[in-house]
Amino acid sequence: MRAALFTFVYYLLSALYVLTSVPFLILPGHTPVRMIIRSYTRAMNLNLRLVAGICKDVRGRDKLPEGAFIVASKHQSWGDGYLVYPEVDKLTFVTGDHLEKFPLVGGILRKLGAIVIDTCGGGERKAASLREGMERARQDGRRILIYPEGHLAPVDYHFRYKPGVWHMAQAMQAPVVPVATNIGLYWQQQEKEKRPGTAIIEFLDPIPWDLPKEEFMERLTEVVEQRTAELVAEGRGTPVKRATLIPDPPKGMEASPTMSDLAAFKKA
């Protein structure tokens, strides 16, 4: 019952806020739409608390630097973006241009300053659209949310962190703020079931952009996975258990690791 009610409110809020944004899509300026979407994420946080019984604990706000930076977050749940977005001013994100085929969504993305990647123009065009978007974000002092694993990770597991975040930091010459979370204990991946509890998101010490790639990626993986394991243990009331590395799932599929997956990955 709780999950069904949450889902109903989820879609109701989404529709209402999209429709509220419509009149501002044709007007100059970005501020109204950005304020509306920020309000939408706060309303979704309220939905999580009042309907799903998932409270929110934000730690490490003092770690957020001034100016442009990249937020590199652990991605356990469809809901972790809703937790992070209202906590970081001038936040945007990277997405594919497939969303632009929906007129309202495309207009909202442009007003939000989202970095829209050209997925039809080949590798060179993809890279060019990413560089152009990052340069606009840097000049505007915006912050970019990215999930370095590239997939929703089940609790107690993680994927290889992709070096795209390092390339973005290099291009923007901006620090990267790692984010750990344990929301997967209460809303795992895209599951309908919600479990009451306190979901923690924690901003960690920024990582300098000018580190060598291998050192940067090792440090990012270590700090996010170690702190996430600690937050998961805190939520469970159990000893810390380090997450297991698993292979990326097939494109378009959600990860659900099996023993055969783990055995095959260890041999690779």
Side-chain angles (χ1 to χ4, degrees):
M1 182 64 183
R2 183 193 297 269
L5 181 57
F6 175 86
T7 301
F8 172 77
V9 176
Y10 176 95
Y11 284 111
L12 179 63
L13 287 173
S14 299
L16 287 174
Y17 275 93
V18 167
L19 293 175
T20 302
S21 300
V22 170
F24 299 99
L25 298 181
I26 60 174
L27 298 176
H30 305 278
T31 301
V33 173
R34 289 174 180 173
M35 291 177 63
I36 289 167
I37 298 305
R38 193 174 181 87
S39 175
Y40 164 64
T41 58
R42 286 173 172 158
M44 203 60 76
N45 278 223
L46 195 62
N47 185 24
L48 281 167
R49 179 163 60 88
L50 298 181
V51 180
I54 302 174
C55 298
K56 175 180 175 180
D57 180 8
V58 183
R59 302 175 183 176
R61 287 191 186 93
D62 58 318
K63 305 291 179 64
L64 298 176
E66 297 294 326
F69 57 85
I70 297 168
V71 179
S73 179
K74 180 68 180 176
H75 199 21
Q76 291 179 335
S77 168
W78 192 250
D80 49 33
Y82 290 109
L83 299 185
V84 172
Y85 193 92
E87 303 302 327
V88 182
D89 292 333
K90 302 180 72 175
L91 185 64
T92 189
F93 46 88
V94 179
T95 184
D97 59 0
H98 61 284
L99 293 178
E100 290 198 319
K101 67 182 179 181
F102 304 104
L104 297 182
V105 175
I108 291 172
L109 290 175
R110 288 189 289 275
K111 289 292 186 179
L112 292 176
I115 298 175
V116 181
I117 305 301
D118 183 349
T119 57
C120 298
E124 185 175 329
R125 184 55 207 155
K126 288 179 185 178
S129 58
L130 181 58
R131 286 195 302 270
E132 292 161 6
M134 288 189 297
E135 179 58 23
R136 288 193 300 271
R138 187 186 65 79
Q139 292 178 359
D140 194 29
R142 300 197 67 75
R143 293 76 185 261
I144 302 174
L145 173 62
I146 186 172
Y147 297 106
E149 292 172 278
H151 305 279
L152 286 164
V155 174
D156 296 326
Y157 298 93
H158 77 96
F159 303 104
R160 290 196 190 280
Y161 282 52
K162 313 303 186 289
V165 61
W166 179 81
H167 290 288
M168 290 176 66
Q170 293 288 302
M172 291 182 65
Q173 297 188 2
V176 173
V177 177
V179 179
T181 185
N182 68 355
I183 188 177
L185 291 174
Y186 314 107
W187 181 1
Q188 178 159 295
Q189 295 169 286
Q190 300 182 68
E191 287 183 358
K192 292 182 179 180
E193 182 182 358
K194 309 295 184 296
R195 305 167 186 84
T198 299
I200 303 169
I201 59 167
E202 183 169 348
F203 299 102
L204 308 174
D205 290 322
I207 300 176
W209 64 269
D210 55 353
L211 294 178
K213 182 168 69 173
E214 291 74 15
E215 180 182 349
F216 177 94
M217 295 307 301
E218 182 179 349
R219 181 168 168 181
L220 176 63
T221 303
E222 176 61 29
V223 297
V224 173
E225 289 305 320
Q226 177 61 35
R227 188 57 185 148
T228 291
E230 293 168 357
L231 295 180
V232 167
E234 180 179 335
R236 286 172 167 163
T238 59
V240 176
K241 174 186 175 183
R242 184 60 184 262
T244 301
L245 178 65
I246 56 174
D248 288 357
K251 187 175 181 180
M253 294 182 63
E254 188 173 271
S256 182
T258 64
M259 292 307 295
S260 60
D261 289 333
L262 299 177
F265 191 66
K266 287 177 182 178
K267 291 179 181 178

